[in-house]
Amino acid sequence: MAYTEEELKKELETKEYEYGFYTDIESDTLPKGLNEDIVIAISKKKGEPQWMTDWRLDAFRIWKDMEEPEWPNVTYEKPDFQNISYYSAPNKKPKYNSLDEVDPELLETFKKLGISIDEQKKLAGVAVDIVMDSVSVATTFKKTLAEKGIIFCSISEAIQEHPELVKKYLGTVVPKKDNFYAALNSAVFSDGSFCYIPKGVRCPMELSTYFRINEAGTGQFERTLVIADEESYVSYLEGCTAPMRDENQLHAAVVELIAMDDAEIKYSTVQNWFPGDKNGKGGVFNFVTKRGLCEKNAKISWTQVETGSAVTWKYPSCVLKGNNSIGEFYSIAVTNNFQQADTGTKMIHLGKNTKSTIISKGISAGKSQNSYRGLVKVNSRAENARNFSQCDSLLMGNECGAHTFPYIEASNKSAQIEHEATTSKIGEDQIFYCNQRGIDTEKAIALIVNGFSKEVLNKLPMEFAVEAQKLLEISLEGSVG
Amino acid sequence: MLRIKDLHASVEDKKILKGINLEVNAGEVHAIMGPNGSGKSTLAEVIAGHEEYEVKKGSIELDGEDLEDMAPEERAHSGIFLSFQYPVEIPGVSVTNFMKTAINESRKARGLEDMPANEMLKLIREKSELLDIDRKFLSRSLNEGFSGGEKKRNEIFQMAMLEPKLAILDETDSGLDIDALRIVANGVNKLRSEDRAIVVITHYQRLLDYIVPDYVHVLHDGKIVKSGGKELAVELEAKGYDWIKQETVA
């Protein structure tokens, strides 16, 4: 049953068409600035139904009257929102003709991560011949999912094909008016992923946006919606360990998770957007709103490894609405050079016997600033709610900063909340000890950092964990003189 | 094997070693004794290449090769092992993982591939049996929450794993009760061999009851002021360090 190469090529071509990719790039970028006409134009370009256009317009009107938040512990030049183009069709034209034209530093990093040549080409934007493997994997993959009734597609496709689900759930966990960037995303989101797991189904494989690389480019304003119906289970992987370079400076994604009664969602992220150069020039601003809703006995685990972006502002949260529901947050945030991260979580306990766990590991090097910000809120009706939080910071050098901002609001006397925090520094004595055993300084740091992050790395799916480990090493390279 | 000639070393312009001469051959065990602050630990760290110290004068050679321009890890690769007086903790890194990394880094330096996992396991089993170490111990985080005795045993286990040419044991007896001391000393004795040199640094003679040295040197104020056989340690124990101090002044 082997495909011929011709057939594959044809299939890919039709796919592109299916998802509304255009070859004429020049004419497909909207003018800079944001107003109602632009919002309508975006919706039109994507061929969306009227209800979606109205939804976007509503979000835009809310956004217009909002102000950019000032409270995160980061400083950056505020983007000029009228100087951004909010829509350009995914760029399908290769940027380079061969790998020789690509920045050698980038290639070196690919090599260290063990990324295959074909994948390297794809990531760097080099023209690729059709790779038999990845296409056939994607095809088998889709078939298996379809058999189980699992829907996994782009959000644009879901709006067309499954409007009843999108209509019902979009914006229910992260409302349009939630915050400045969520409102902006709601108005102009470019694309993203949609996933629905039917009642009682255990998704047989890790769902990964990786499989969708061919089908939709990740946009500036990504929108993800994952719905796990009753008694279902899904593990979802987002992102890529390979460095993502993007000319768009501002990224504002929204991710919504819905775990119905007895369902479980594991959501793992490895984020490695371009952090800017060693002097702090350039780099992506990553302002993300991620939130999950747990119904009765449901469980949501967020696991994230954050190494990229110049400025990060991100708090994957859980609303523990149903009784006995569980929320977990495991995070490693690395900042080096001039990076700034303000990240953490919110655990909102509404139901009885709800439990949450927060394990946050911050690693700061260079002149970077790394903040943990977390809220544990126990509602008056949430009997016997429990939380355990642990925030550890590791400092390298004398010019970086680690900050912890824990907020606790308990309105029920039966709540049990524990918070532990430590700050440590990679000591010269630790380095010398490793050196004396034959381990050079760079490797020693990697070893110490991996040890420090182990509790979180262990939560990642196996192959992701291995990549994440390498990524930590690379992110901290050259951070000790 | 180890040849130290007229070694002077300082930390932040404070002179600590003031002309050390020492020669240690393969198969020999040398003890270096001396009062607190005489420069014993400094000597150990200078040989290992600690960057805090500045070598002002003199040389250290291992098998005829000058160590001056070698980084600590390069010295380790060429066969120098230091058992630390205060082994450091590395949370989240198991003893096994640490040893695996150390061994493979040394192999890499010699142009060898990583040691295959089954060989590594065999080596670990062999060495832990030799030193009577419970293998559960090896999956614990390096030195984290270890008792004084466990830390020192772990140092000796690492020495067994890395099979150095020259092992320097810096106050391996400090903080150990008599039972732990016996266990650690037995471990070291098992690692004595024809082609290995061992330098034992200690404040007290009691360790030398268990690890019997071929030579004893007394360090005082950055210099070796007296050398002799194992009986020197006994004499020193009987007369105290004041005896040495007086002799040097006189």
Side-chain angles (χ1 to χ4, degrees), chain A residues 27-63:
Chain A
S27 65
D28 215 39
T29 299
L30 288 175
K32 284 178 179 173
L34 190 53
N35 53 47
E36 294 201 2
D37 291 340
I38 294 279
V39 175
I40 293 167
I42 291 170
S43 195
K44 215 175 203 167
K45 288 254 180 218
K46 299 174 74 66
E48 289 174 351
Q50 189 59 41
W51 62 266
M52 196 64 237
T53 314
D54 293 343
W55 199 85
R56 286 177 182 274
L57 278 173
D58 186 39
F60 172 75
R61 286 169 199 144
I62 293 167
W63 176 77

Side-chain angles (χ1 to χ4, degrees), chain A residues 98-334:
Chain A
S98 87
L99 273 179
D100 301 337
E101 298 167 33
V102 179
D103 181 1
E105 205 180 308
L106 187 66
L107 292 180
E108 188 55 30
T109 311
F110 283 155
K111 224 170 78 192
K112 285 181 191 152
L113 283 165
I115 291 168
S116 74
I117 295 286
D118 287 324
E119 221 177 317
Q120 286 185 24
K121 287 184 180 168
K122 204 156 37 182
L123 292 162
V126 175
V128 212
D129 296 330
I130 291 164
V131 191
M132 191 75 174
D133 268 3
S134 73
V135 173
S136 54
V137 166
T139 314
T140 347
F141 179 75
K142 283 219 141 169
K143 217 177 119 203
T144 316
L145 292 182
E147 278 165 9
K148 299 251 178 194
I150 295 168
I151 305 167
F152 182 42
C153 60
S154 71
I155 192 107
S156 308
E157 192 186 345
I159 290 166
Q160 305 292 346
E161 306 292 327
H162 309 282
E164 67 299 338
L165 285 172
V166 177
K167 234 180 186 167
K168 188 167 170 195
Y169 293 107
L170 190 72
T172 56
V173 188
V174 179
K176 285 171 273 197
K177 59 175 189 300
D178 190 79
N179 67 69
F180 183 83
Y181 287 107
L184 179 64
N185 175 289
S186 300
V188 302
F189 70 83
S190 29
D191 212 332
S193 304
F194 175 84
C195 171
Y196 172 79
I197 315 291
K199 200 171 161 177
V201 170
R202 259 190 93 82
C203 184
M205 55 188 78
E206 316 270 355
L207 285 190
S208 161
T209 44
Y210 169 83
F211 288 100
R212 292 191 34 253
I213 283 175
N214 277 334
E215 298 172 25
T218 45
Q220 198 177 0
F221 301 99
E222 219 181 327
R223 184 96 196 183
T224 302
L225 178 59
V226 178
I227 304 158
D229 212 326
E230 291 173 21
E231 293 169 40
S232 70
Y233 167 84
V234 63
S235 167
Y236 189 95
L237 312 181
E238 171 198 57
C240 186
T241 49
M244 301 285 273
R245 300 232 171 172
D246 196 298
E247 52 267 42
N248 297 319
Q249 196 181 32
L250 175 67
H251 283 250
V254 171
V255 176
E256 295 177 280
L257 309 184
I258 294 150
M260 297 193 205
D261 291 0
D262 302 291
E264 181 177 350
I265 303 176
K266 255 180 87 116
Y267 195 100
S268 314
T269 307
V270 171
Q271 184 271 115
N272 189 18
W273 291 107
F274 182 49
D277 66 13
K278 286 192 173 69
N279 304 313
K281 261 185 80 179
V284 166
F285 295 170
N286 196 26
F287 304 132
V288 184
T289 308
K290 289 183 162 179
R291 196 174 303 151
L293 178 75
C294 286
E295 298 284 357
K296 215 170 67 194
N297 305 325
K299 179 175 172 183
I300 289 180
S301 306
W302 297 101
T303 306
Q304 59 170 19
V305 178
E306 298 277 320
T307 64
S309 303
V311 182
T312 303
W313 180 102
K314 179 175 172 185
Y315 316 91
S317 305
C318 295
V319 180
L320 303 172
K321 181 178 162 220
N323 292 345
N324 313 316
S325 59
I326 299 173
E328 294 175 337
F329 174 75
Y330 303 101
S331 167
I332 302 169
V334 180

